[in-house]
Amino acid sequence: MALALPPLRPLSSSASAAPSSSSTSFNYRPAVILPGLGNNSSDYNKLEVTLKQHYGVPTVVAKVSRLDWLRNAAGLADPNYWSGTLRPRPVLDWYLKRVDEAVREAKELAQGGTLSLIGHSAGGWLARVYMEEFGLSHISLLLTLGTPHLPPPKGVSGVIDQTRGLLDYVDKYCSKAVYTPHLKYVCIAGRYIQGARIFRNSSVDVVSAIPNNNAHSISEVATVNDVSPSTSNATAFRARFVGQGYKQVCGQADVWGDGVVPEVSAHLEGAFNISLDGVYHSPVGSDDVLRPWYGSPAVVEKWIHHLLN
């Protein structure tokens, strides 16, 4: 679910430049876009056009409608839903089937070559489930955009696992991310707005799930300009509202994120982790100039090179 929030700041001038037409001379793998929770395939039309027309990337979007997500209600009949131990299958078989259909279409475009999977939001961890269940010999890259990879911490007051155990399953049973020349994991997080606690004197100590001293976790973090704190009531309310959303994902409210997914949750140990300043979570409610999302042309320019053969 996307929040319609006013922007804190636009991308830097270097990021807002139009993609170079010469980029079409590069050889890009075909890509499959996996929509995020609640999104429609048509939400990614502009991203698909950007990839095809500006970079020559053959692109297929998994066919998903907003109504399709109501199929997930089938999980309510599963006792594991209520115990917080839900598994992706069979409740998400419908989504995995749509991804497999898109992958088969993209494989024809690849003509024996490999593919890139681009997972937005929940589509990123669902891509990991797909790779585990359907195989990954034909996949060279998993690129995730604002994906909540990590299960919320246990035992934090007020935190409810909205996936009902799905992210726990992915974390425990799906293959760990290992960035190699043959299979690359690239995870992109947005730093659009910093959340805030409801009460300033509240304190929750949360240890990052990604240790800073891990030699296998690569980080390319964009420079973040200091923003003077606003004293306006609207800004304070917005930060606290967003912070409560962040808390449900990572257990802490006063962290940076893309307006929906906190930065720390969108990174994955073992992956090539990137943080981009001023990037909003969703194509819904985004604006390429004032509120760019991960698929806006200026932002795509930041990660398109990962799709190169």
Side-chain angles (χ1 to χ4, degrees):
M1 178 178 177
L3 303 177
L5 302 174
L8 293 184
R9 54 194 179 278
L11 290 172
S12 63
S13 57
S14 61
S16 60
S20 171
S21 59
S22 63
S23 59
T24 56
S25 62
F26 294 105
N27 185 19
Y28 293 95
R29 291 180 296 270
V32 176
I33 298 175
L34 284 68
L37 178 66
N39 284 107
N40 191 313
S41 298
S42 63
D43 294 339
Y44 305 90
N45 285 350
K46 191 169 183 178
L47 172 57
E48 183 180 6
V49 169
T50 297
L51 292 175
K52 287 181 177 179
Q53 294 187 359
H54 289 291
Y55 300 100
V57 181
T59 306
V60 180
V61 182
K63 293 180 174 60
V64 175
S65 72
R66 297 195 207 288
L67 289 177
D68 280 328
W69 293 102
L70 296 177
R71 297 167 183 259
N72 292 0
L76 295 171
D78 188 333
N80 289 310
Y81 177 92
W82 303 103
S83 63
T85 56
L86 193 63
R87 291 171 172 252
R89 308 191 70 174
V91 67
L92 287 165
D93 277 351
W94 69 270
Y95 185 96
L96 298 176
K97 180 181 178 182
R98 304 291 177 82
V99 173
D100 194 49
E101 291 169 351
V103 166
R104 290 175 184 273
E105 183 179 346
K107 284 174 71 175
E108 293 183 7
L109 300 173
Q111 298 180 340
T114 57
L115 311 175
S116 298
L117 298 185
I118 302 175
H120 169 237
S121 196
W125 61 259
L126 281 163
R128 295 178 64 197
V129 175
Y130 173 80
M131 292 163 65
E132 195 71 27
E133 297 289 328
F134 289 77
L136 44 73
S137 61
H138 51 290
I139 299 169
S140 290
L141 168 71
L142 171 58
L143 177 79
T144 65
L145 307 173
T147 290
H149 284 289
L150 309 177
K154 305 292 190 296
V156 177
S157 177
V159 174
I160 300 174
D161 181 4
Q162 299 176 57
T163 71
R164 306 309 299 157
L166 290 173
L167 281 177
D168 270 316
Y169 178 91
V170 173
D171 189 52
K172 291 177 182 177
Y173 298 109
C174 288
S175 298
K176 302 303 180 184
V178 180
Y179 187 94
T180 70
H182 304 292
L183 177 58
K184 301 173 183 177
Y185 288 79
V186 178
C187 302
I188 303 179
R191 290 173 60 92
Y192 178 77
I193 182 172
Q194 184 177 20
R197 302 171 183 171
I198 291 181
F199 304 107
R200 292 187 179 276
N201 60 351
S202 63
S203 177
V204 178
D205 293 326
V206 177
V207 178
S208 169
I210 302 179
N212 292 328
N213 60 354
N214 190 330
H216 298 290
S217 183
I218 311 169
S219 181
E220 176 188 296
V221 182
T223 302
V224 181
N225 297 322
D226 291 334
V227 178
S228 300
S230 172
T231 56
S232 72
N233 291 333
T235 300
F237 175 81
R238 178 181 62 192
R240 290 173 183 173
F241 179 76
V242 170
Q244 290 312 295
Y246 290 165
K247 183 177 179 180
Q248 293 304 311
V249 180
C250 73
Q252 190 170 355
D254 52 350
V255 294
W256 278 94
D258 61 16
V260 175
V261 175
E263 179 183 17
V264 65
S265 299
H267 287 168
L268 188 60
E269 183 178 353
F272 192 100
N273 294 311
I274 302 170
S275 291
L276 295 178
D277 193 25
V279 176
Y280 180 63
H281 179 78
S282 176
V284 180
S286 67
D287 179 278
D288 289 341
V289 177
L290 299 177
R291 190 186 295 125
W293 82 287
Y294 297 99
S296 294
V299 183
V300 172
E301 192 175 12
K302 297 287 187 180
W303 53 256
I304 188 64
H305 59 283
H306 293 288
L307 273 63
L308 283 167
N309 268 321

